[in-house]
Amino acid sequence: MKIFEEIESEVQSYARSFPRIFNKAQGCYLFDEEGNKYLDFLAGAGTLNYGHNHPVLKKALVEYIMDDGITHGLDLHTKAKGEFLESFKHNILEPRDLEYVMQFTGPTGTNAIEAAMKLARNVTGRENIITFTNGFHGCSLGALAATGNAHHRGVAGTSLGGISRVPFDGYLGDGIETTEYLDKVLSDSSSGIDHPAAVLVETVQGEGGINAASLDWLKNLEAVCRKHDVLLIVDDIQAGCGRTGTFFSFEPAGIKPDIVTLSKSISGYGLPFAIVLFKPELDQWKPGEHNGTFRGNNLAFVTAKHALDTFWKDDSFAKEVRRKGQYIEDRLNTIVAEVGEGNFTVRGRGMMRGINCVSGELASKITKACFKQNLIIETSGADDQVVKFLCPLIISDEELKQGIDIVERAIREVCAKTDEMPEERSYFDENYDIAV
Ligand SMILES: Cc1ncc(COP(=O)(O)O)c(C=O)c1O
């Protein structure tokens, strides 16, 4: 551990929550140097939807490398890129009747967001972009301006402009349709909100606390965008690639965004990779305008193509995600009903779920108690008050049950001890017997 303390910057974050030296990973498990095994419910913050080192993807990658396939090719046409494009068109775009062109940006989510925002601004000639309370879009300056979180915004060191923020679905409480507010301010030339280029939204806010917009809200949002001639950008970097039960998280709302960003699980293997999809008429870039040395990671093209061919040739994988998502929802609802007594709530969609523990301190105690039982799980939300379930989508029923059992035990343990819970909950001290 000494070397990390000695010369790795203080900026490290996840390493603080899970202070081990990890050196192996397979499927839903991480292994540390001592050979301890950890069930991974963080999965690279949503990057490992198909688990660690998936054998099909690994084989394809190893063969490609052994064959001296191109590793770095700037934005040259390569066989690996062509095959990925074919697979994406055939498995994803055509069955969903989506007509998009694809831009390869620098290989991080935040760079895809920068490109999406630039494109919207340049195509419309307008600067303002509408974003939402609790939204998270990355840490480079343009994306950071669109991000709500004070912790991240606080170190920008410069003004974060060009954004108007409006309330996300549910932000003002149940029964308040916040798209009506957006419609109103966009209809009123004196509202103080400049006619925007675009609305940038996550359908389920990941870092913001697993806040799932309702499908009606998303439909209404699209309608407001169309009414006011504003582009709709869906940031599907965390909620996309199957996480919510369909390839794109917006599919069940029946909407067709103008621009979509994908990263995290698009390579399928944890390799850095980010793309922006947009309607062909928006493709007004001039060559190299949004440049970058690592635009298109050829190793990621290989694994991404095989991930699409393996998991997305029909609806069976997505169906499984929805089934397991329902199981997670049912289990978490039961836990919350028994333990939360009105304090805790369950949120999310598909296999992107959270328990809002109201207090960040409590949520952190729960995730620490989970780690003691070899479960890696993190928090999110403005105060880190939400325990966030992001296990690999390929998880088996048994592993899923085991992981949730650990969380349940941790919650019962922590809530029995904490002062924040009323006295009558002391019955959680009783031995809690779970057949694993
Ligand atoms: C929805 C969303 N957008 C953008 C990003 C930024 O991606 P990256 O960390 O790869 O820059 C994230 C990262 O968590 C995200 O969840």
Side-chain angles (χ1 to χ4, degrees):
M1 281 293 176
K2 202 158 149 271
I3 189 70
F4 302 104
E5 279 152 30
E6 244 174 56
I7 62 166
E8 190 176 356
S9 159
E10 290 297 322
V11 78
Q12 51 191 292
S13 57
Y14 293 113
R16 294 172 192 275
S17 308
F18 311 109
R20 296 287 184 280
I21 299 177
F22 296 99
N23 75 337
K24 246 179 173 320
Q26 175 46 235
C28 297
Y29 295 98
L30 276 162
F31 300 85
D32 69 18
E33 274 194 331
E34 274 98 51
N36 298 309
K37 187 175 175 185
Y38 301 84
L39 189 52
D40 187 3
F41 269 36
L42 175 58
T47 304
L48 296 158
N49 280 2
Y50 315 114
H52 295 268
N53 294 317
H54 190 282
V56 173
L57 312 189
K58 182 166 66 180
K59 183 167 177 283
L61 183 59
V62 168
E63 281 172 4
Y64 182 80
I65 292 172
M66 293 313 286
D67 245 15
D68 283 338
I70 305 268
T71 295
H72 182 263
L74 294 167
D75 73 346
L76 296 176
H77 294 166
T78 62
K79 185 162 178 273
K81 185 196 277 188
E83 288 178 359
F84 166 68
L85 286 167
E86 284 288 351
S87 174
F88 197 86
K89 180 169 174 259
H90 175 70
N91 290 308
I92 305 297
L93 296 179
E94 285 174 356
R96 290 163 182 78
D97 197 22
L98 290 168
E99 205 187 329
Y100 288 133
V101 295
M102 186 184 295
Q103 176 181 1
F104 301 106
T105 65
T108 57
T110 200
N111 198 252
I113 294 290
E114 297 292 342
M117 291 170 78
K118 268 189 203 172
L119 184 66
R121 284 175 170 144
N122 281 289
V123 166
T124 60
R126 300 174 214 139
E127 182 188 6
N128 194 24
I129 290 181
I130 302 284
T131 62
F132 293 91
T133 49
N134 288 301
F136 183 88
H137 303 283
C139 285
S140 54
L141 289 181
L144 188 57
T147 290
N149 188 291
H151 176 65
H152 295 105
R153 292 173 66 84
V155 289
T158 186
S159 49
L160 297 169
I163 296 291
S164 297
R165 202 163 326 271
V166 300
F168 190 67
D169 191 19
Y171 190 72
L172 299 174
D174 287 347
I176 299 182
E177 175 55 59
T178 60
T179 58
E180 284 174 13
Y181 169 76
L182 181 60
D183 183 28
K184 174 92 179 162
V185 296
L186 296 186
S187 306
D188 177 358
S189 60
S190 290
S191 68
I193 299 207
D194 296 334
H195 189 195
V199 163
L200 169 61
V201 69
E202 293 159 270
T203 64
V204 183
Q205 295 182 323
E207 299 310 295
I210 315 290
N211 310 311
S214 74
L215 301 183
D216 280 342
W217 187 86
L218 292 169
K219 280 191 182 86
N220 293 342
L221 185 65
E222 184 187 55
V224 171
C225 288
R226 301 293 167 239
K227 177 174 168 192
H228 295 282
D229 186 27
V230 170
L231 298 173
L232 177 61
I233 309 173
V234 169
D235 177 353
D236 236 4
I237 286 168
Q238 188 161 155
C241 301
R243 175 56 59 183
T244 62
T246 46
F247 185 82
F248 294 110
S249 67
F250 54 80
E251 287 174 48
I255 62 173
K256 290 202 169 162
D258 301 288
I259 304 178
V260 182
T261 54
L262 288 175
S263 184
K264 291 198 187 270
S265 274
I266 185 66
S267 83
Y269 204 72
L271 293 167
F273 189 25
I275 58 182
V276 187
L277 302 166
F278 38 87
K279 295 187 172 164
E281 63 271 23
L282 300 178
D283 193 8
Q284 296 173 26
W285 289 112
K286 294 192 182 63
E289 270 186 333
H290 185 82
N291 223 336
T293 307
F294 293 105
R295 281 173 301 146
N297 173 348
N298 277 267
L299 303 183
F301 290 144
V302 174
T303 51
K305 173 214 154 24
H306 282 85
L308 297 179
D309 291 350
T310 306
F311 296 102
W312 296 100
K313 57 184 184 313
D314 57 34
D315 195 42
S316 51
F317 176 68
K319 248 194 200 146
E320 272 294 283
V321 174
R322 295 194 285 274
R323 182 185 64 77
K324 287 183 255 188
Q326 189 58 53
Y327 171 77
I328 302 174
E329 183 180 0
D330 293 346
R331 281 291 308 271
L332 302 195
N333 276 330
T334 307
I335 297 171
V336 160
E338 287 178 11
V339 186
E341 291 206 357
N343 289 332
F344 290 11
T345 47
V346 178
R347 26 178 75 190
R349 187 147 68 80
M351 290 179 72
M352 187 169 182
R353 299 279 177 176
I355 296 182
N356 181 5
C357 304
V358 188
S359 130
E361 203 190 326
L362 201 54
S364 153
K365 281 186 187 164
I366 292 166
T367 53
K368 282 200 174 90
C370 289
F371 189 49
K372 279 194 190 141
Q373 297 178 63
N374 289 23
L375 177 73
I376 293 182
I377 188 164
E378 257 291 8
T379 55
S380 76
D383 303 312
D384 293 320
Q385 77 282 20
V386 177
V387 176
K388 184 171 78 159
F389 295 74
L390 278 184
C391 59
L393 307 181
I394 47 97
I395 194 167
S396 71
D397 287 4
E398 202 189 330
E399 289 162 334
L400 184 55
K401 179 180 179 303
Q402 274 173 13
I404 298 179
D405 286 351
I406 291 173
V407 179
E408 177 164 1
R409 275 201 294 267
I411 293 179
R412 288 178 184 274
E413 212 179 280
V414 166
C415 291
K417 283 179 197 159
T418 182
D419 295 330
E420 287 164 58
M421 304 299 282
E423 279 292 281
E424 63 266 28
R425 293 202 188 149
S426 57
Y427 68 85
F428 296 129
D429 274 340
E430 286 167 27
N431 281 342
Y432 185 68
D433 185 23
I434 299 171
V436 177

